[in-house]
Amino acid sequence: MTAIPFALGARHKGFNRAEVVDQNFLEFVQLWQRETRAAPRDDEAVLPGSALDARGFRELLESQLISRHLDLMARVLRVQNKVFYTIGSSGHEGNAMVARLARHTDPAFLHYRSGAFMAERFRKIPGMDPVMDSALSFAASKDDPASGGRHKVWGSKPLWVLPQTSTIASHLPKALGTAVAIEQARRIGHQLPIPDDSITICSFGDASSNHASAQTAFNTAAWTAYQKLPAPVLFVCEDNGIGISVKTPSGWVASNYQHRANLDYFFADGLDLAEGYAQVQRAVEHCRTTRRPTFLHLKTTRVMGHAGTDFEIEWRSIEELFAVECSDPLLRSAGIALESGLYSKDELLNLYEATRKRCFAAAEDADSRHRLTSLDDVMAPLAPYTPAAVKAEAERADYADRRLAVFGGEGKLPEKLPPRHLAIQIGQALHDLLAKYPEALLFGEDVAQKGGVYTVTKGLNKTFKGSRVFNTLLDETMILGLAQGYANMGMLPMPEIQYLAYFHNACDQIRGEAASLQFFSNGQYRNPMVMRVASLGYQKGFGGHFHNDNSITALRDIPGLVVGCPSRGDDAAMMLRTLMALAKVDGRVCAFLEPIALYMTKDLYEAGDGQWQFDYPAPDQAMTLGEGRVYNERANDLVVFTFGNGVPMALRAARTIEAELKWQVRVVDLRWLAPLNDAFIAAQARSARRILVLDEGRKSAGVGEGVITAIVEGGCGATPLRRVVGADTFTPLASAALLVLPGVDDVVAAARKLG
């Protein structure tokens, strides 16, 4: 390549590097002096020996220029408050090759330097405009077809680019999950929304490849391939050698990934279209034909810094900046354009300036459009809820023949059997749901042959076979990544997290990924799922804080997430039906917290009384979201608000309180912890003379705080009120656990203080 001339004054420490990069391209073309060839025909190689034909090169070049000028536009218009995002794609324009060689029906999970990929993918469907769509997103316009103005995201429903604002590498697990789901659909007879031979594409940076979320995806991909199970995911590591300001050790990516078993490695030069095209082509074709996880190491660079606020000159030498800017892939593309004879200098400069003009015009147009101006507009896609449709779906019982086959005949239907405790009724409900929804899958650690640690899923694997009920590797992040993948492909996943404490290892898969997808895609994409979690405290003879986790805060804080917690088996069955209906109808992400200590509980007041076993509800019975259960509804001397383990505890305490204080006690089981039904809570509080809030969670940031807020804001703040809660500590082992968790005596003592 010819030596690169630099703009006058470029060595000045404060010089705008975006201007330098822009000027470099212009001067490179103007000063080009090398000999040119006779222009090839459209179907001929752009340069001798290249796998890229002339037509393909022209289109890739145009995509690269669109990406570059969107970046330059963003730097100029950000200071005018017309654009709100400046993390650019400059230096990564070679990813356009991946877009060209893949299909628009290959689901793509992209990182933020994917401007050229998107510009090229837009070609797959005639009539779409990558410049205007991107400009609307940069401008946070309500007309943005990707997110409706909620964030600058690369996304498109018709192009199967799922909008996301992933934290570092957190999109890799769901990308792999989607690849696995493509193959899983065939095994369960599910009709895919995309061609059966599709692959998933997942791009990320070299720095992100070190993150735990990336490593879990790579490990699971290899774990899957090792067992000869298809996982057609193309991991595209766009290696620019730096993460914000931290350099990746030279050769690290190749050293780390080139020889990994069951992760097939390919290298491609993303700085050179003529050279890199065949290399990318081999990787894409390998992934599609072998259905194996494939790692494409794409060489890139990063010019103009991490973002508009990254003044590299403050921490990077001017000589190093010059070297990086010399590696700009657009300079190499300009050289190919001129050397091949496809463009004269004037033609190339005219194309460059016409693209600039087009991007700025689109940005000015986007700036004139409406933006989100009301809270209702912002939140509209976050938590859709259509009560009538959900109720109809939850109570739909048109699968009688499948039920009979699953349960083994009319006389063995669970509603015909004697009352049962929580664990058995959850298991019966899961049999019911898997019979009702052929697209439903249940998976997690130990859920198959063993039937779960607490035998809740016993028999499901035998009844529904390993294609629908199966064990995963021990990795909660990947369990939830798989769930998102299955949901992306139109299935209804029911992942199990073995203990609530284990969820915290993988929280971002729900918080940052699954629950945010409807919001950031303006309702175009969704991740319907019902996540079951063995939860809460009071286990006897077993525990410690990992198995007695009472922290629900991390779940209740996730926007749009539905959280339910039953205290008895019949409620559990009806709640599960509603949760599955919420997932299927409204695409909701749901968490179902199963109190471990109540799994096997049969008695309420005395050993052998059997008063905590209940009849199984018929399949046409469900529960409305937010609906609580009230015990002793007419009592108003004392009202106890609680949930989970607190319900039988409060009922036992009520006996003592009624005998000692002569009060009539009402116990309110909330059942739904997110969203809390504030109106229901306030209505129950209004007739109360005294109120107790019994929350087995910790004092700080527990459910009880939300209950008290609902009571006060509902106008009942003057009613005498006390809270009975757990201590702000981790749960210790053995009987010491009962020192930090509330008990019956604590409830009675609190009631006395209200006297």
Side-chain angles (χ1 to χ4, degrees), residues 413-739:
L413 293 174
E415 61 267 28
K416 302 291 182 68
L417 301 177
R420 292 288 190 266
H421 54 268
L422 179 66
I424 287 181
Q425 292 202 327
I426 290 176
Q428 291 169 332
L430 294 174
H431 277 82
D432 241 340
L433 291 170
L434 285 165
K436 181 176 183 178
Y437 297 109
E439 72 273 29
L441 306 169
L442 188 147
F443 50 94
E445 300 159 18
D446 302 303
V447 301
Q449 291 85 355
K450 180 178 174 61
V453 173
Y454 299 97
T455 69
V456 175
T457 58
K458 183 178 180 180
L460 288 170
N461 176 256
K462 183 177 180 180
T463 301
F464 296 99
K465 311 307 179 189
S467 58
R468 295 189 61 200
V469 179
F470 51 92
N471 292 326
T472 65
L473 75 176
L474 197 157
D475 184 340
E476 288 75 25
T477 297
M478 202 57 238
I479 290 171
L480 297 177
L482 286 169
Q484 293 173 81
Y486 294 130
N488 289 333
M489 292 295 100
M491 293 173 243
L492 278 175
M494 290 189 284
E496 178 182 293
I497 301 298
Q498 201 164 82
Y499 291 100
L500 181 57
Y502 298 172
F503 167 76
H504 303 307
N505 300 333
C507 179
D508 191 50
Q509 287 301 306
I510 299 296
R511 176 184 301 277
E513 297 296 337
S516 71
L517 182 59
Q518 288 200 100
F519 182 76
F520 287 119
S521 70
N522 199 17
Q524 298 175 89
Y525 283 103
R526 54 194 221 165
N527 276 140
M529 71 174 72
V530 177
M531 175 180 67
R532 296 177 43 251
V533 190
S535 306
L536 307 177
Y538 301 99
Q539 285 200 79
K540 296 178 180 178
F542 178 56
H545 70 283
F546 277 122
H547 306 98
N548 279 289
D549 191 335
N550 58 350
S551 176
I552 303 171
T553 306
L555 286 161
R556 290 187 64 244
D557 182 54
I558 299 174
L561 181 69
V562 176
V563 181
C565 181
S567 63
R568 45 190 272 182
D570 55 345
D571 283 358
M574 291 188 290
M575 293 173 79
L576 278 168
R577 291 167 189 164
T578 297
L579 290 167
M580 286 293 277
L582 283 163
K584 183 172 180 63
V585 173
D586 291 325
R588 299 295 290 274
V589 181
C590 307
F592 190 62
L593 307 184
E594 301 171 4
I596 299 169
L598 296 180
Y599 270 148
M600 309 301 173
T601 298
K602 300 177 182 178
D603 307 320
L604 179 57
Y605 298 112
E606 299 170 356
D609 68 16
Q611 290 193 45
W612 212 243
Q613 297 185 106
F614 302 93
D615 291 326
Y616 185 83
D620 60 353
Q621 297 179 36
M623 186 191 304
T624 302
L625 176 63
E627 179 184 350
R629 180 183 286 279
V630 181
Y631 298 83
N632 200 11
E633 190 166 2
R634 295 185 179 181
N636 57 14
D637 293 322
L638 175 66
V639 175
V640 182
F641 292 92
T642 189
F643 62 93
N645 293 297
V647 177
M649 183 187 302
L651 291 171
R652 288 192 290 270
R655 275 200 167 185
T656 301
I657 294 168
E658 289 167 356
E660 179 182 323
L661 300 177
K662 310 305 180 185
W663 294 348
Q664 293 298 305
V665 181
R666 186 192 323 160
V667 175
V668 178
D669 182 357
L670 300 169
R671 298 195 290 201
W672 302 98
L673 307 184
L676 279 175
N677 189 339
D678 292 351
F680 167 72
I681 293 169
Q684 291 294 320
R686 286 190 192 106
S687 59
R689 294 193 177 98
R690 304 165 189 86
I691 297 172
L692 275 180
V693 177
L694 171 55
D695 177 0
E696 62 185 282
R698 297 170 193 157
K699 179 180 179 181
S700 299
V703 175
E705 293 183 353
V707 175
I708 292 172
T709 300
I711 291 170
V712 173
E713 292 182 347
C716 305
T719 306
L721 181 150
R722 295 194 71 86
R723 184 162 54 127
V724 182
V725 295
D728 281 341
T729 181
F730 298 104
T731 307
L733 194 61
S735 59
L738 300 181
L739 299 174

